[in-house]
């Protein structure tokens, strides 16, 4: 029941934009986004809690459609430092009882930004 | 401590031996997660602890895997009779409570030879 991410990989030139999508088959309480650089631990980017919520972090923003159980991460004017693997994580509904905050991740989207 | 601490950072063990991995979460964090990451792969959920509640063990791949956590402090992940397919980086993360921002440790790289 892990979320499904797309695309699996994307290559961008500096300055280009990208969108990474994340969808779930179960009701969501929140969606998390993390970035992992090669050989490092994943680092938190943002959490989205409410239906239709959007958030921004530098030139990286995200939206969360609770009804559709989908989230998208938007990277604009990409920089070399954006390279890494992006993971979306889902935490279940507060109404689903024990384990409802289990944080399960998708398989990741590998983003490569080239000069 | 300042962040999530895991030890050892690297562990090489012989097939069939038992290993114990340790995670020190950020002080005050009630939620703790263990993940397995094979080379070039995603984050595979193993187990989740929330305060004094019964842990969610739904991600443990076999009965060779077990984990404990005393209260809201240190957690240990034990793998018995290790197999070569257990080779991976084992990541621990903690958060203030379930559903909040998770902070990851640097992981333990386990190699089974």
């Amino acid at each position: 029941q892990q979320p499904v991410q797309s695309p699996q990989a994307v290559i961008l030139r500096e300055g280009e934009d990208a969108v990474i999508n994340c969808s779930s088959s179960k009701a969501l309480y929140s969606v998390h986004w993390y970035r992992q650089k090669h050989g490092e631990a994943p680092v938190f980017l943002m959490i989205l809690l409410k239906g239709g919520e959007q958030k921004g972090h530098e030139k990286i923003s995200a939206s969360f459609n609770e009804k559709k159980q989908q989230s998208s991460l938007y990277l604009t004017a990409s920089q070399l430092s954006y390279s890494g693997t992006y993971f979306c994580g889902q935490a279940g509904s507060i109404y689903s009882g024990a384990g409802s905050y289990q944080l399960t991740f998708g398989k990741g989207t590998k983003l490569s930004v080239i000069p | 401590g300042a962040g999530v601490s895991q030890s050892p950072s690297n562990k090489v063990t012989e097939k069939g031996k038992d290993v114990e991995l340790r995670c020190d979460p950020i002080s005050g964090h009630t939620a703790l997660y263990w993940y397995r990451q094979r080379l070039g792969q995603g984050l595979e959920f193993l187990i989740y602890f929330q305060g004094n509640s019964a842990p969610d063990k739904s991600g443990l791949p076999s009965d060779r895997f077990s984990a404990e956590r005393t209260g809201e402090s240190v957690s240990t992940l034990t793998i018995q009779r290790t197999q070569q397919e257990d080779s991976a980086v084992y990541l621990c993360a903690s958060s203030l409570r379930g559903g909040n921002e998770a902070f990851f440790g640097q992981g333990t790289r386990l190699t089974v030879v």
Side-chain angles (χ1 to χ4, degrees), chain B residues 9-77:
Chain B
S9 54
N10 281 284
K11 176 72 176 178
V12 180
T13 189
E14 292 181 351
K15 178 181 173 181
K17 295 284 180 73
D18 298 351
V19 295
E20 191 172 276
L21 312 180
R22 177 186 170 105
C23 173
D24 279 276
I26 293 172
S27 178
H29 280 195
T30 64
L32 186 146
Y33 309 83
W34 282 99
Y35 297 90
R36 179 169 67 181
Q37 187 172 35
R38 292 195 167 107
L39 187 64
Q41 301 300 308
L43 303 168
E44 179 186 0
F45 169 78
L46 296 177
I47 188 168
Y48 159 57
F49 295 91
Q50 174 60 59
N52 294 315
S53 301
D56 179 347
K57 304 180 181 180
S58 60
L60 295 178
S62 76
D63 58 9
R64 295 187 297 105
F65 287 72
S66 63
E68 292 183 349
R69 187 184 187 196
T70 306
E72 297 179 356
S73 61
V74 171
S75 176
T76 55
L77 176 69

Side-chain angles (χ1 to χ4, degrees), chain A:
Chain A
Q1 280 192 327
Q2 65 184 148
V4 177
Q5 289 185 235
S6 62
Q8 291 183 332
V10 59
I11 299 174
L12 297 176
R13 292 199 177 275
E14 268 187 294
E16 291 182 337
D17 302 341
V19 179
I20 300 172
N21 298 302
C22 176
S23 63
S24 175
S25 60
K26 69 174 189 178
L28 301 177
Y29 173 67
S30 62
V31 174
H32 299 219
W33 286 97
Y34 292 77
R35 177 172 64 203
Q36 184 179 33
K37 293 184 178 287
H38 184 69
E40 299 180 6
V43 173
F44 172 80
L45 292 176
M46 64 189 80
I47 289 178
L48 299 105
L49 294 174
K50 300 177 182 178
E53 184 180 29
Q54 292 192 335
K55 277 194 172 181
H57 177 76
E58 298 177 342
K59 292 181 181 178
I60 301 173
S61 61
S63 63
F64 175 30
N65 186 320
E66 187 179 351
K67 288 184 179 179
K68 292 185 177 180
Q69 297 165 192
Q70 293 177 343
S71 178
S72 294
L73 186 71
Y74 307 94
L75 300 104
T76 58
S78 58
Q79 305 168 12
L80 295 176
S81 62
Y82 287 2
S83 293
T85 300
Y86 289 78
F87 292 99
C88 75
Q90 65 184 22
S93 167
I94 58 174
Y95 302 108
S96 58
S100 61
Y101 293 110
Q102 177 197 113
L103 184 56
T104 309
F105 290 93
K107 293 187 176 182
T109 296
K110 185 174 181 180
L111 178 74
S112 301
V113 182
I114 58 176

Side-chain angles (χ1 to χ4, degrees), chain B residues 74-95:
Chain B
V74 171
S75 176
T76 55
L77 176 69
T78 302
I79 308 173
Q80 296 178 311
R81 305 181 301 282
T82 52
Q83 304 294 315
Q84 287 187 330
E85 63 262 28
D86 299 335
S87 296
V89 174
Y90 289 82
L91 289 161
C92 173
S94 72
S95 63

